[in-house]
Structure formats: structure tokens, C-alpha cells
Amino acid sequence: MNAERIEAALRAAVARVSAPPCPPGLRAALRAAVLPGGGRLRPHLTLAVAAACGDDAPALADAAAAAIELLHCASLVHDDLPCFDDAAVRRGRPTVHVAFGAPRAVLAGDALIVEAFRTVALATGPADRKVQLTAALAEGAGAPFGIAAGQAWEEESSVDVDAYHRAKTAALFVAAARMGALAAGGEAEAWAAVGEPLGQAYQVADDLADQLSAAADLGKPVGQDAAHDRPNLARRLGVDGALMRLESLAADARAAVPDVPRRHLVTGLIDAAVARLLPAALAEPLPRAAVG
Amino acid sequence: MNAERIEAALRAAVARVSAPPCPPGLRAALRAAVLPGGGRLRPHLTLAVAAACGDDAPALADAAAAAIELLHCASLVHDDLPCFDDAAVRRGRPTVHVAFGAPRAVLAGDALIVEAFRTVALATGPADRKVQLTAALAEGAGAPFGIAAGQAWEEESSVDVDAYHRAKTAALFVAAARMGALAAGGEAEAWAAVGEPLGQAYQVADDLADQLSAAADLGKPVGQDAAHDRPNLARRLGVDGALMRLESLAADARAAVPDVPRRHLVTGLIDAAVARLLPAALAEPLPRAAVG
């Protein structure tokens, strides 16, 4: 049901940003960047937190979820560009720049960033919440704390690894959790504390996947971190160490969930997300003692 | 005085987006993209319209002006990339991608787009106006009507020239005028009718400059339109025809200024802007009969 809300909100946003008189090539690039998508993990987090907070403005929660995912899609399109990862495949299909050219990939990313903010502005809901959502989305997406800054760390010869990981991955999870709370009038900072370890767990899982999985399983090339000499926790800690770290972060995320009646909506999502995050090759359960 | 307000608001935004822990290379790219700037024509329009509307929330007008200029700067950084104009020089200095690399240029543009929206969200002012400002900015910046769509028309083999010119240049002038009105609680659509012909006039001036001026005068390479086979009004109408069109559009912009007590603040800006828009080589005044 949340999946349907997310896809409906994303389809509406894509329809709006690519409506006539959108140039046809940009329209195709915009659609390919967003539809069909990946796990939609961030917008699911937004909606789960909104539900736990009462979801009293569901149209605004839907808009917040879509905005987070539009920003995520934009960052993927830009990350795949030849001047970054130069990735040819994403989610098993040609990347946007391969299919439609680098200019349209740059512009599709730009337009999706803009559309994320417009989606919040146009939603039905209280104006003060929309302003808070806009600020939270901007903090997670831009600089100095958001994904643009995170990606830019990869261009530095000397990397602040903590700032890099927080910005590159955790920031958008923090924004996703915050925005779920803000959309429903909840306590944003309490829920940010759930997004932070979950985002870090996602980064560990991504590092593991990059290090280990077969390209066919992920639908994208792997070993990018080694190829680009980027920090990778699975290289540093080893596979077992990284798996234990992932489980420990997931436990931190569970523990951070505020004690509200519907908290199970979020803990359940965390469990499901962690199960999905583990690369297929590593999906055997850890001994529960290791989870704490 | 408006120039000081604009620069102060831009400096504050740049300081915020490039504050620690921003990666140093991204910080340098962000600063270079915004400071020092060009004519700041769009934010001047925003502040002039806000003043004509009473400027009852000056911090919000400043934020709106800065947001418009941040978006404009972002679009220049992306337009200069190797996959678009591949420009080496802008405002007499190396372009951002030449000075800091294409990855940082992509990310600086992304971060500036995001910061534009954050600047509005964080300003002091009524929440409902901020939401309206966000929507107006998004319409001018993204797709299908904004500058991302405008730039994307240049990738099409068959171009809708009217949609192309409206989106590539006029859209951000419309947003600038609208946002000045919205920040001050004025009538956005009445002022949009001022931004539209002024933006079209700017496009004609840009076409003239591209066609005719020496590189030294503009601080950027010229003849890009011919090199990229893009529609150019000065090529189509000739120099005299394009000049008459520019003056006619400026007259349209003047005539559209609503009949408010401080309308001279905007008509004066239009006159000054048109004088600046004319390439130095063409700065002799036209016969007044041609102006109407």
C-alpha cells in the first residue's frame, strides 16, 4: 500500500516535470531516471515514519516521499556520468547518459532536483510544514552536509571519511526520516536519529556489494570504489567485520525508534530493509548473538 | 543599495553552502560560481518589483533575489560543461569546470540549485509566501517550462523555437519578477508580464552578442550558436532587425509595469537593463521613432 502511494506520487511528479512542452529527449530521460525504480527504500522510510507519527496530512507525506526519491534518482543519474563513475548499467538497464547522452543526463538530474522541491510546494498541506520539509530536503541534498558534498569528497586527495559517509549516504536517510515526521507534525530530530544509523548501514551494505557481488546480481558494475580508490568499509574491516557493523547499525536504528504506539511500522521497515541490503551472496543470517 | 542587498544575500548563501565540513574543492568551486558575479540583472528585477509592491518583508525579498541568482549561476556552470558549450572562459575568468574539474562543476551546480530553495525556506517571512516563492522558482528553473527544459531543447533535432526561448531565458526573468511580487505580497501574474518581454529582450541581446561581439568584450567565447547550430534571432533578422526587436520588447516590458505608485523603480531598471544588454559595439542609440 505504501509502495502504491510512492509510485503514484512519483508518476504524478514525472508527468508534471515531463509534460508538454518538455523536449521529447528530456522527457524520455526523466522517465527513465525515475520509472521503474529500485527499492524505494528512502520514501518507504518517509511514509513509515509519517504513519508512526499519525499521518494526519497524507498528501504531504506522499509529496515528501516522492521528493526524497526524486532527489535520490537525480543523484544516481549524475553519479553515473562519465566524469564520475562512468557507469553503463543501472538497475539492469542502460544508464541515462548512455541511453540519452550526457547533456540530457545532466539536465534530467537538474530538473529532478527542482521537481523535488516543487512537489513539496504544490502538495496539499500546511504551509509551515512545507517550509520545514524544504529545509530538511535541502540539507540532505546539497552542501555542506548533503549528497552533493558527499560526492564531492570523492574528488579530494585527503578525505574526511566520517563527513564523506554521513553526507554521501546517511544524509538522505536522515532527510527521509525527518521529512516523514515533519509531514505529519512529528518530532523531526527524534526520527533523524533513526535515519542516521540506517543510512550508515546502507553505506556498509553498498561497500560490501561494491566489493563482492557479481555484476549480474546488482545490475550495475562493481568494484567502483577500488577502481576509484574510494574509502570502502568492507575493504577495511573485511566481509565479516562489515557484516557485523551493518547489523550493529541496524540495531542502533531499531533502538532509536521513538516509543510511539505505531513504532512497529518503522522497526518492521528497518528489518525488511536490512534483509534487502545484504547482497544476495551474503544473505545467510548472522548468529543472533552477533546482532545484540 | 539594492546591489549591496543582493551581494550580502549571495555571500550569506555561499557561506552557508560552503561551510565546514564542505570538501575544500567544492567550496572553491561554489565560491567561483557565484562571487564575483555578472550584472545580477535577475535579482535586481526581483528587488525592484518587491520595492514597487511595498517590500514589507525585505528579508524574504533578499532571499528571493539570491535564490534566483543562485539558480542562474548554477545554470551557467552546467551550461559551460564540456558536454554543452565546453566554454573555457566566463566573466573573464576560467570556467568552473576548467578551474576545478567537471565533477566539481556538476556538483557545485547541483548544490547551488538546492541552496536556492533552502535560501527561501530559511528566510524570515510568512510561510505561505515562501511556498509560493518555491513554486515560482521551480517553474522557472526546471521542466517543462524552465531553464533545464530550455537547455534541453538544444539537444533536439527539431526545435520548438518559441518554447525554447521562453524556457531558456524568459522563464527565469518571469520567475524573478513573480518572486519579487510574491515576497512582498503583490500580484505575481501582473508582474510576470513584465518579466516575460524583458527576458525575451535579454535573449535577443544574447543572440546579438553571440553573433557579433568580440570575445574580449564579453569575457566568454562567442559564436556558440552558429557552432552548435542553435536558433539565433540576430542571424535570422539581421542586426538591425534584432535591435528593433530588442527595443520593441523593452517597450512591451515598460508598458506591462502595473500602475502602482513606485512603478518608476521598475521602469528605471528596465531602461538601465536594456542599456546594459546592448553589446558595446552596438551601443549607439536607435532613432526614438523606432522605439515607439
Side-chain angles (χ1 to χ4, degrees):
Chain A
M1 152 128 166
N2 279 357
E4 287 159 30
R5 287 174 63 177
I6 291 164
E7 297 308 318
L10 287 170
R11 282 195 302 270
V14 170
R16 190 167 54 230
V17 71
S18 68
C22 189
L26 180 63
R27 178 184 308 138
L30 288 163
R31 293 188 60 83
V34 180
L35 307 169
R40 310 296 200 201
L41 180 50
R42 296 159 191 78
H44 269 291
L45 177 60
T46 300
L47 287 193
V49 171
C53 294
D55 202 16
D56 67 347
L60 197 54
D62 289 354
I68 276 284
E69 184 67 10
L70 292 171
L71 228 325
H72 174 58
C73 293
S75 80
L76 296 181
V77 171
H78 282 183
D79 285 4
D80 286 339
L81 283 168
C83 67
F84 294 108
D85 286 358
D86 197 13
V89 180
R90 162 82 62 187
R91 297 167 180 166
R93 296 184 305 157
T95 49
V96 173
H97 71 91
V98 166
F100 306 103
R104 290 194 186 104
V106 172
L107 295 167
D110 292 356
L112 291 174
I113 295 171
V114 170
E115 194 61 30
F117 290 100
R118 179 157 63 166
T119 297
V120 170
L122 296 185
T124 300
D128 57 340
R129 291 190 195 174
K130 292 185 193 176
V131 172
Q132 293 171 314
L133 287 168
T134 301
L137 181 62
E139 183 167 327
F145 299 111
I147 50 178
Q151 186 73 5
W153 275 115
E154 298 180 1
E155 305 301 315
E156 297 291 326
S157 53
S158 170
V159 176
D160 179 336
V161 176
D162 185 57
Y164 165 57
H165 279 154
R166 278 177 193 273
K168 191 187 176 196
T169 308
L172 211 53
F173 280 86
V174 169
R178 260 195 194 131
M179 290 172 73
L182 291 169
E187 293 285 345
E189 292 325 302
W191 290 97
V194 178
E196 174 82 37
L198 187 59
Q200 289 182 35
Y202 186 87
Q203 182 62 51
V204 175
D206 206 48
D207 286 1
L208 270 167
D210 185 88
Q211 184 80 343
L212 290 171
S213 294
D217 287 351
L218 286 176
K220 63 179 178 180
V222 293
Q224 290 283 333
D225 291 339
H228 296 272
D229 194 26
R230 293 190 294 232
N232 182 306
L233 210 74
R235 266 197 293 166
R236 186 149 65 81
L237 300 182
V239 170
D240 287 349
L243 280 171
M244 287 185 64
R245 179 95 179 107
L246 194 162
E247 286 285 355
S248 157
L249 287 163
D252 290 349
R254 283 184 212 102
V257 174
D259 189 17
V260 296
R262 276 164 291 199
R263 71 190 301 277
H264 69 279
L265 295 173
V266 180
T267 54
L269 178 79
I270 294 168
D271 292 340
V274 171
R276 288 189 63 155
L277 284 177
L278 294 170
L282 300 168
E284 317 96 72
L286 282 183
R288 298 309 296 172
V291 180
Chain B
M1 152 120 168
N2 280 357
E4 287 159 31
R5 287 175 64 177
I6 291 164
E7 296 307 318
L10 287 170
R11 281 195 303 271
V14 170
R16 191 169 51 231
V17 71
S18 68
C22 188
L26 180 63
R27 178 183 308 137
L30 287 163
R31 293 187 61 83
V34 180
L35 310 168
R40 309 295 200 202
L41 180 51
R42 294 159 192 79
H44 271 290
L45 177 60
T46 300
L47 287 191
V49 171
C53 293
D55 202 15
D56 67 348
L60 197 54
D62 290 354
I68 276 284
E69 184 68 9
L70 292 172
L71 228 327
H72 174 59
C73 292
S75 81
L76 295 181
V77 171
H78 282 184
D79 284 2
D80 286 338
L81 283 169
C83 66
F84 295 106
D85 286 358
D86 198 12
V89 180
R90 161 82 63 186
R91 295 167 183 164
R93 297 184 303 158
T95 48
V96 173
H97 72 90
V98 166
F100 306 102
R104 289 195 186 103
V106 172
L107 295 168
D110 291 355
L112 291 173
I113 295 170
V114 170
E115 195 59 31
F117 289 99
R118 179 156 65 168
T119 296
V120 170
L122 297 185
T124 301
D128 58 339
R129 291 191 195 173
K130 292 185 194 178
V131 173
Q132 293 172 314
L133 287 167
T134 301
L137 181 61
E139 183 166 330
F145 300 111
I147 49 178
Q151 186 73 6
W153 276 115
E154 298 180 1
E155 305 301 316
E156 298 290 327
S157 54
S158 171
V159 177
D160 178 337
V161 176
D162 185 57
Y164 166 57
H165 280 155
R166 280 177 192 272
K168 189 185 177 196
T169 307
L172 212 53
F173 281 86
V174 169
R178 260 195 194 133
M179 289 172 74
L182 291 169
E187 293 285 344
E189 294 324 302
W191 290 97
V194 179
E196 174 82 36
L198 187 59
Q200 289 182 35
Y202 185 86
Q203 182 63 51
V204 175
D206 205 48
D207 285 1
L208 270 166
D210 185 89
Q211 183 82 340
L212 290 170
S213 295
D217 287 352
L218 286 178
K220 64 179 177 177
V222 292
Q224 290 283 334
D225 291 339
H228 297 270
D229 194 26
R230 293 189 295 232
N232 182 305
L233 209 77
R235 267 195 294 165
R236 184 149 65 86
L237 299 182
V239 171
D240 287 350
L243 280 170
M244 286 186 64
R245 177 94 179 108
L246 194 161
E247 287 286 356
S248 158
L249 287 164
D252 291 348
R254 282 185 212 100
V257 174
D259 188 19
V260 295
R262 277 165 289 201
R263 71 190 301 279
H264 69 277
L265 295 173
V266 180
T267 54
L269 177 79
I270 293 168
D271 291 340
V274 171
R276 288 190 64 156
L277 284 178
L278 293 171
L282 300 169
E284 316 97 72
L286 283 182
R288 298 309 294 173
V291 179

